[in-house]
Structures are given as structure tokens and as C-alpha cells.
Amino acid sequence: MRVREYGTDGPRVVVLHGGPGAPGHMAPVARGLADAFRVLEPYQRSSGERPLTVARHVEDLRELVDSRCGGSAPALVGCSWGAMLALAFAAAHPDRAGPLVLIGCSTFDLAARARMKEILDERMPPDLRRRMESLKSEIPDPDRRLEAMADLILPLYSFDPVTDQLEGDACDSRANEETLHDMVRLQEKGVYPAAFAAIKSPVLMLHGSHDPHPGALIREGLEPYLPQLEYVEWERCGHYPWIERGVREEFFTALRDWLARRTADSGGS
């Protein structure tokens, strides 16, 4: 994996991008932590000869932690799919995972997914719906089309953003489809979220009330398996708190303070 590094001192933190298959968008979060933490930003495995699975991503992250974190259990800060990956990793390797931060965590059950679809359908104006439908003929390349779709729907995921485009590199549509397919398969089999009962780490969920991912429903689905879960929700905030005009400073303060406290409690280095 390609890995970008930030900071030279402090506890280890690994930031995990969403998508799946949308690397690079966690760079602003990594930079915001770099003066107090040593941050790794891995670009998760791309699509290839074999279909991607959650287990493959978990194993890649284990290899990264073992090779780059000097035997310590780093804090994991994941956004969207990245939050799901953080939980899956901590469930599989509870002794290798430090504190977990779930930013805009994705869904783990049918009710939460259905509510998210309802919210997006309610917010999508007819002209945007037509524009989305035309992308397949206008942009034949699936990776470029996924990137264009992400740009078009960003307003549906945001409240008052300071930018109309996230940072990021080229999208990987196959990685997106294969990984999400496997995650849904595992949920339907009952693996997740039940496996999260093995997690020993403290867990913080940071969510925006305007995020179409329904934070309260997601929290309710996780709490039976994560009784240690802490939850913070901001008004006037969408899926990516660091681009929201009204809360981005508060977001970074909350994230930094919680990580500093929890990594000190766990002896992270």
C-alpha cells in the first residue's frame, strides 16, 4: 500500500479513508492531527485479479500496523467505510487496535440503510437525478464516473461546506463495489455487527445531524455490542465535519482532545 506520513512526534494514529475506493480524502484530517500525533494515511488496496473482501482489507491493515507502528496499538480514525474497517480490524485483532474514532460511520442493518436511502431520495432534486442518470452514457470509464458522482452528490451529504470538492486521488469503482458487496454479505450472515463485541478499545462516534447516514439508528445498532461507545452529534453538520463551516474547528478540537486523552490512558506511543 501507498502510505503518506504526517508528524514526527506523539502517539500513532492511522486514518482510514472511505469509499471504499476513494483514497486521499482523509488528508485534511491527517494534517489536522500532525502537530500532536504521528499519523499514517494508507491508500487501501486497489482492485485486481481477485475480488476484494473485508478480510483482505483487515489483513492489509494488520500488516501495516505490524510493520509501521513499532509494536504499539495505534488509534484508528476512520470515515464512512473507513469507520467500518476500523471496527472490523479491532474485532479481528483487539490487541492491535488502540482507541477508535468513527466519523460519519456507515450502516450495519437494513433499517439504517433504508432510512439513509429515504433521506437521499428526499434531498435529491429532479435536475440532479437526471444528471446522475446521464453519467453512464457521458462518462464510460467507471472510475471517472464514480468520481463525478461523488462530486455531484456532495451537497446532499453536506450542510454548509467550505468547499464543493473533497481532496482525493483517483477513485476505484471495482474496489468500491467488491468491498461493499462483501460487507453487506457479512452483515446478512450476522457476522457484523455481532463481531464487534470482541473490541476492547474505547470507541467514539462523531456524527453530523445532517449526514444522510442516520447517526441515531447506527448508534442504536452498535451499542449492544459496544457498550463503551461514546457519541457526539453536531447540528448544522454533514458527513464530513472537517469541511463544515460551522463545526470544523470544534470537530478538530474534539478529535484531538479525545485522542490525546485516550492514547494517554492506553499508553499509546
Side-chain angles (χ1 to χ4, degrees), residues 81-164:
W81 148 253
M84 303 175 97
L85 176 56
L87 289 168
F89 174 82
H93 302 288
D95 294 327
R96 287 183 168 96
L100 309 180
V101 180
L102 318 176
I103 304 170
C105 187
S106 288
T107 60
F108 288 99
D109 58 68
L110 290 173
R113 282 200 293 278
R115 180 56 188 142
M116 179 178 172
K117 184 179 184 301
E118 289 176 358
I119 293 170
L120 289 172
D121 285 344
E122 292 166 1
R123 292 181 185 177
M124 187 173 292
D127 58 336
L128 178 55
R129 194 178 303 276
R130 289 191 295 270
R131 183 78 183 90
M132 294 282 288
E133 292 170 353
S134 70
L135 285 180
K136 191 165 186 178
S137 59
E138 293 177 6
I139 308 177
D141 180 82
D143 296 338
R144 291 185 54 239
R145 186 164 63 247
L146 180 61
E147 185 175 346
M149 289 176 60
D151 290 342
L152 284 174
I153 64 174
L154 182 60
L156 307 184
Y157 283 72
S158 307
F159 184 84
D160 184 21
V162 296
T163 179
D164 60 1

Side-chain angles (χ1 to χ4, degrees), residues 7-250:
T8 59
D9 193 27
R12 293 279 189 181
V13 176
V14 179
V15 297
L16 300 171
H17 66 75
H25 77 83
M26 288 291 279
V29 177
R31 291 195 297 267
L33 296 173
D35 64 339
F37 301 91
R38 289 172 290 169
V39 185
L40 299 176
E41 181 201 3
Y43 280 44
Q44 296 157 31
R45 183 181 292 260
S46 301
S47 57
E49 293 182 2
R50 297 182 180 180
L52 285 171
T53 63
V54 175
R56 178 68 265 175
H57 288 295
V58 166
E59 180 62 14
D60 286 343
L61 184 52
R62 183 198 64 76
E63 292 175 3
L64 174 73
V65 168
D66 287 354
S67 65
R68 303 288 289 271
C69 294
S72 67
L76 303 177
V77 178
C79 179
S80 199
W81 148 253
M84 303 175 97
L85 176 56
L87 289 168
F89 174 82
H93 302 288
D95 294 327
R96 287 183 168 96
L100 309 180
V101 180
L102 318 176
I103 304 170
C105 187
S106 288
T107 60
F108 288 99
D109 58 68
L110 290 173
R113 282 200 293 278
R115 180 56 188 142
M116 179 178 172
K117 184 179 184 301
E118 289 176 358
I119 293 170
L120 289 172
D121 285 344
E122 292 166 1
R123 292 181 185 177
M124 187 173 292
D127 58 336
L128 178 55
R129 194 178 303 276
R130 289 191 295 270
R131 183 78 183 90
M132 294 282 288
E133 292 170 353
S134 70
L135 285 180
K136 191 165 186 178
S137 59
E138 293 177 6
I139 308 177
D141 180 82
D143 296 338
R144 291 185 54 239
R145 186 164 63 247
L146 180 61
E147 185 175 346
M149 289 176 60
D151 290 342
L152 284 174
I153 64 174
L154 182 60
L156 307 184
Y157 283 72
S158 307
F159 184 84
D160 184 21
V162 296
T163 179
D164 60 1
Q165 193 171 42
L166 294 174
E167 285 190 40
D169 289 340
C171 290
D172 185 336
S173 65
R174 271 188 56 207
N176 179 275
E177 293 170 7
E178 292 170 359
T179 303
L180 289 181
H181 175 79
D182 192 53
M183 173 54 81
V184 171
R185 179 187 68 83
L186 292 167
Q187 291 179 17
E188 290 174 347
K189 286 182 65 177
V191 175
Y192 299 127
F196 302 154
I199 294 174
K200 303 175 182 178
S201 306
V203 185
L204 173 65
M205 208 176 153
L206 298 177
H207 219 84
S209 65
H210 196 68
D211 189 339
H213 297 80
L217 279 178
I218 295 167
R219 177 188 60 187
E220 289 171 11
L222 291 175
E223 280 179 331
Y225 311 102
L226 293 169
Q228 72 272 40
L229 179 67
E230 302 173 57
Y231 185 79
V232 175
E233 182 174 284
W234 289 288
E235 297 294 329
R236 304 170 63 85
C237 179
H239 191 50
Y240 306 101
W242 63 91
I243 69 167
E244 292 288 353
R245 196 180 315 274
V247 303
R248 54 181 177 163
E249 291 186 9
E250 187 176 347

